[in-house]
Amino acid sequence: MRSVGSGMYVRPTRMTRLRWLAIRVLLLLACQGLLAGESVQPPASTVVARIRDHARAITHSVGDYDGLLASIGNANIVLLGESTHGSAEFYDERARITQRLINEKDFRALVLEAGWAPATQLDDFVQGRLRAADAATALRVFQHFPRWVWRNEQFAVFLDHLKKSSEQAAPASPAIPVYGMDLYGVPEAIVQVVRYLEAYNPQAARRARRDYRCFAPYTRPPLDPHLYGRDVANGAMPSCERQVQSRLTKMRQLAGPDPAPAAFAAMMSARAIAGAEAYYRTLYALGARESWNLRERFLAESLRILLERHGKIVVWAHNTHQGDARATDQVLAGELSIGQLMREQMGDEAVFLVGITTSGGNVRAATGWGTPDRVKHLKPLIEGSWSDLLHDVGLPAFVLVFRDNPDLIDSLDRQRLDRDIGVTYLPDAELEKHYWHSSPAKRFDALIHIDTTRAVVPLR
């Protein structure tokens, strides 16, 4: 099953993974490399040599990402990935790239794989609307598992930097807004809708509380809003689909014409509540694939709304979301991704997908959903996997740009195992839980590899 109750990624259940593995084995035995359009896998040494020829070393100098920015060109949306949710260097490097996109290419917003309503507090902090001494205080809004994904020292440093930049900017240069794009954070979203209505239409606020009362039992830990879907499925809770959809329509009519930031936030919160209600109900009624695709479409729609508002945006999301699903085993399971949807809807030139990977070191992750996070050591790589070949290049960190590089695309357009880690990491079941096949040259427009990483440091 996919992740429930968080914007983060968790691998499918054992039975689902075994079914996928069986399908993969049959396909690969029938025609090795069929998905990549090739019939023969080149020797690993040949692939490593070709990667080494095209790799640009990351030396922590100002020009590290010159080639990457040149390749991004006039894209309107850049999605920066991560192969784990708990590696510190991923946050650091995304921050470096994002700052250059803001300064040199006029990108106007940062969008996170986080719940819409919780992330509005981060924007309030950056814009100076929140009385918080520092980013660490603002990030306390993330109270639920897996809070370390955003509530960590590395991300706090970047938020503080964004706030200082906004304070020093000229009056004609607006601060960079920070958004969440996800449908999680239902309790916070309900508060935003009701608070807005209380200021403008107290009677409507009372009706909104009634519309959202189906989520009342799940507003405080340890109960999670996703349990609403379970309880609707087993008849213990009535569905509130009609009420939340009606409330969304009314919020669009009331808040849509209002230019105030609070109006946009409240309207988007109503949208997130409606999306979450459908997602949780679908998860238990129809299963993981249908709910996963519902969520990816919601995320893609969030990005289109924010693109309309700002023109050029940077997105931070897991590789599993922002990579093109058609270049991975996700296509076998009938799963979508926002990277795929953005390419299909906007065209390849308007979208730039950057994967970020690692081969070794430590990662912060949990053992199971809702369990305490720990620093975990990454297991040795499976021989011949993409992570293994990237390690064999021998550089501590480097960039590969695939776009407009047909020679490199041809060399890497093969299906090999690759490792992705979400909020949980199970070293004893790595192949089943954390590996799948992918073709990085088709999954991404560029790839950043940091060979050894350390775990993010959570803010307590």
Side-chain angles (χ1 to χ4, degrees):
M1 182 184 296
R2 297 290 182 182
S3 164
V4 288
S6 163
M8 313 309 154
Y9 180 71
V10 177
R11 303 300 301 165
T13 59
R14 176 180 176 82
M15 290 303 296
T16 303
R17 285 289 292 169
L18 288 176
R19 184 168 63 251
W20 292 2
L21 283 170
I23 293 171
R24 281 185 247 151
V25 168
L26 290 173
L27 286 172
L28 289 170
L29 287 175
C31 183
Q32 181 77 343
L34 178 61
L35 292 176
E38 299 289 341
S39 58
V40 178
Q41 284 277 21
S45 58
T46 301
V47 178
V48 171
R50 190 59 56 88
I51 294 173
R52 192 179 291 121
D53 289 342
H54 290 272
R56 179 186 177 92
I58 296 174
T59 61
H60 301 287
S61 65
V62 293
D64 279 344
Y65 294 115
D66 286 353
L68 179 66
L69 264 70
S71 184
I72 286 170
N74 295 320
N76 300 104
I77 178 170
V78 174
L79 295 96
L80 302 176
E82 57 182 1
S83 61
T84 86
H85 278 310
S87 299
E89 286 80 1
F90 295 169
Y91 294 81
D92 298 339
E93 296 309 304
R94 288 188 295 189
R96 293 179 66 200
I97 297 167
T98 299
Q99 193 59 60
R100 289 196 62 179
L101 290 171
I102 292 168
N103 294 343
E104 301 173 34
K105 288 189 171 288
D106 200 32
F107 277 71
R108 303 313 308 157
L110 172 63
V111 185
L112 309 175
E113 185 194 332
W116 167 266
T120 58
Q121 180 159 306
L122 308 186
D123 187 52
D124 288 341
F125 169 74
V126 170
Q127 309 296 331
R129 297 190 294 261
L130 183 69
R131 292 184 178 180
D134 53 23
T137 304
L139 286 165
R140 288 177 185 165
V141 68
F142 292 100
Q143 295 286 336
H144 301 283
F145 178 90
R147 64 183 188 180
W148 79 87
V149 172
W150 298 115
R151 190 172 162 177
N152 62 67
E153 290 183 2
Q154 287 70 36
F155 187 56
V157 168
F158 186 52
L159 271 187
D160 278 326
H161 172 76
L162 286 177
K163 186 172 192 298
K164 289 175 184 176
S165 296
S166 71
E167 292 170 344
Q168 297 166 359
S173 179
I176 298 300
V178 179
Y179 297 109
M181 62 175 167
D182 221 331
L183 45 68
Y184 297 115
V186 168
E188 296 90 344
I190 291 173
V191 169
Q192 279 198 346
V193 172
V194 171
R195 183 183 296 153
Y196 175 80
L197 291 175
E198 284 176 337
Y200 293 92
N201 190 331
Q203 187 176 4
R206 289 192 292 273
R207 289 195 292 268
R209 289 192 189 93
R210 185 176 65 242
D211 291 338
Y212 295 145
R213 63 187 174 187
C214 56
F215 284 111
Y218 317 102
T219 55
R220 295 182 183 276
L223 292 181
D224 192 292
H226 84 270
L227 296 175
Y228 158 82
R230 179 202 65 183
D231 293 342
V232 169
N234 64 26
M237 173 68 70
S239 168
C240 59
E241 176 185 8
R242 180 183 59 79
Q243 295 95 310
V244 298
Q245 290 293 341
S246 174
R247 178 54 48 194
L248 173 58
T249 299
K250 292 172 183 174
M251 286 299 294
R252 283 173 170 157
Q253 294 168 349
L254 177 66
D258 188 343
F264 180 65
M267 183 179 65
M268 292 292 281
S269 286
R271 173 178 169 269
I273 297 165
E277 190 280 331
Y279 172 74
Y280 295 138
R281 189 166 32 79
T282 300
L283 178 65
Y284 286 91
L286 299 178
R289 183 184 66 182
E290 287 75 11
S291 61
W292 172 270
N293 287 343
L294 183 155
R295 181 171 166 232
E296 294 303 296
R297 291 189 180 99
F298 180 93
L299 298 176
E301 184 182 60
S302 298
L303 296 181
R304 291 197 303 274
I305 291 170
L306 295 173
L307 277 165
E308 271 186 39
R309 196 171 179 85
H310 297 288
K312 300 179 80 172
I313 62 176
V314 187
V315 182
W316 290 19
H318 196 278
N319 286 349
T320 312
H321 292 293
Q322 66 89 10
D324 192 324
R326 294 170 296 183
T328 75
D329 284 349
Q330 287 176 280
V331 73
L332 300 178
E335 290 185 348
L336 303 170
S337 69
I338 54 173
Q340 171 189 343
L341 292 171
M342 288 293 97
R343 280 177 168 177
E344 291 174 344
Q345 295 168 11
M346 298 181 60
D348 290 351
E349 293 303 311
V351 180
F352 200 93
L353 311 179
V354 183
I356 308 182
T357 63
T358 187
S359 291
N362 295 324
V363 65
R364 181 164 292 278
T367 299
W369 187 258
T371 62
D373 51 287
R374 298 282 187 267
V375 175
K376 295 170 175 271
H377 188 71
L378 293 171
K379 281 189 69 173
L381 298 160
I382 293 178
E383 185 176 356
S385 65
W386 281 118
S387 299
D388 182 47
L389 300 189
L390 294 169
H391 168 73
D392 287 345
V393 170
L395 294 173
F398 59 88
V399 185
L400 291 172
V401 177
F402 302 127
R403 180 169 287 187
D404 299 323
N405 194 341
D407 182 54
L408 185 59
I409 291 174
D410 182 66
S411 298
L412 272 66
D413 188 14
R414 307 292 196 282
Q415 293 285 320
R416 291 179 181 269
L417 286 172
D418 206 358
R419 182 166 67 185
D420 280 318
I421 296 168
V423 296
T424 63
Y425 179 46
L426 303 173
D428 293 337
E430 258 210 343
L431 177 61
E432 178 187 339
K433 297 292 185 180
H434 301 294
Y435 277 91
W436 54 4
H437 290 87
S438 77
S439 170
K442 293 292 180 67
R443 190 182 186 191
F444 308 114
D445 295 299
L447 183 69
I448 296 169
H449 182 73
I450 304 168
D451 202 57
T452 303
T453 52
R454 69 192 192 282
V456 293
V457 180
L459 296 167
R460 299 301 185 186

